[in-house]
Amino acid sequence: MPLREFQCINCGEKFEELVRNGTKVVCPKCNSQELESLISSFGFKGSTKSSAMQGGCGTCAGGHCSTCH
Ligand SMILES: [Zn+2]
């Protein structure tokens, strides 16, 4: 099931929500729709899209391109 984790940009509340097609996700605390979706199902800490992830170089993010090493 597509369980996604969100953080409210307005109040900072973190919550999980089952998202189906057409589902409008709102913050349960303040009803704001300005949400940042966090990746919770892959074990990453934090939600930044930085190139600091292991194995990637920022260009390919997979550790296999010519600039990786
Ligand atoms: Zn909120």
Side-chain angles (χ1 to χ4, degrees):
M1 282 205 270
L3 184 63
R4 301 280 302 274
E5 187 173 2
F6 295 91
Q7 181 167 26
C8 178
I9 294 173
N10 189 43
C11 72
E13 176 80 356
K14 275 188 184 178
F15 60 99
E16 289 181 335
E17 187 79 41
L18 276 175
V19 180
R20 301 186 191 88
N21 283 341
T23 301
K24 265 197 176 173
V25 183
V26 297
C27 173
K29 202 171 180 181
C30 71
N31 288 326
S32 171
Q33 290 183 21
E34 292 184 52
L35 307 170
E36 181 182 13
S37 66
L38 309 175
I39 300 175
S40 60
S41 52
F42 296 100
F44 290 133
K45 297 287 184 185
S47 60
T48 54
K49 294 179 181 174
S50 74
S51 57
M53 288 195 315
Q54 292 182 349
C57 68
T59 302
C60 67
H64 301 295
C65 76
S66 59
T67 57
C68 279
H69 295 289

